[in-house]
Amino acid sequence: MKRRTTLLAVAAAWVAITAIAYATLTHVGFVYAIYFKLAPYLMRPAMQTYAHFEHVIAFAFVGALFGFAYPRRPILALVIVIGAAALLEILQTVTPDRHGTLIDALEKMAGGVTGIVIARAARRFWSAKDSPS
């Protein structure tokens, strides 16, 4: 059962990072469409505020997935998540309607690291809870 859960986490992590890559490198209209659909539920934040939160939350989610996917290899998870954040920001500079910035990369990296830390803490909590006292 644990093996199946780990395989599911691996698949989910790679699907999530692929979806983020698509959203990051696709036409900016796609991002605005998502914003306008979510804005009424989020109390209509300014687009810039939404973008900052979106960077952190999306990468925290991906970081947590990679943390669960590779529980015995936290350095690998960190390299994948931080590397993806940096690479996606660099690749944005070659798209015609997007631009990569250092602050965006740092937000994504911080979110990813936070997600990995949360996943590790959750695994420790669950393993401590399951072990006999």
Side-chain angles (χ1 to χ4, degrees):
M1 185 66 166
K2 257 186 180 177
R3 174 106 170 111
R4 187 176 296 172
T5 305
T6 301
L7 288 175
L8 181 61
V10 169
W14 287 105
V15 166
I17 200 86
T18 302
I20 287 176
Y22 176 77
T24 300
L25 300 175
T26 192
H27 189 276
V28 77
F30 176 74
V31 176
Y32 282 109
I34 292 171
Y35 166 75
F36 287 122
K37 286 187 187 328
L38 293 177
Y41 304 107
L42 302 173
M43 298 184 299
R44 302 196 189 281
M47 182 62 182
Q48 189 65 28
T49 303
Y50 166 79
H52 292 301
F53 283 116
E54 178 264 333
H55 293 155
V56 174
I57 292 169
F59 268 82
F61 179 72
V62 166
L65 286 174
F66 275 98
F68 286 120
Y70 301 105
R72 290 183 164 80
R73 301 176 76 188
I75 301 301
L76 175 64
L78 283 168
V79 168
I80 291 169
V81 172
I82 291 172
L87 181 62
L88 288 173
E89 285 303 311
I90 291 167
L91 289 174
Q92 273 190 339
T93 62
V94 298
T95 59
D97 62 342
R98 306 295 287 270
H99 61 281
T101 65
L102 180 60
I103 191 71
D104 289 353
L106 292 174
E107 288 169 355
K108 291 174 181 179
M109 290 175 189
V113 170
T114 301
I116 292 169
V117 169
I118 289 170
R120 289 185 59 79
R123 286 185 61 84
R124 282 194 176 145
F125 174 76
W126 289 327
S127 68
K129 192 175 177 183
D130 291 341
S131 65
S133 299

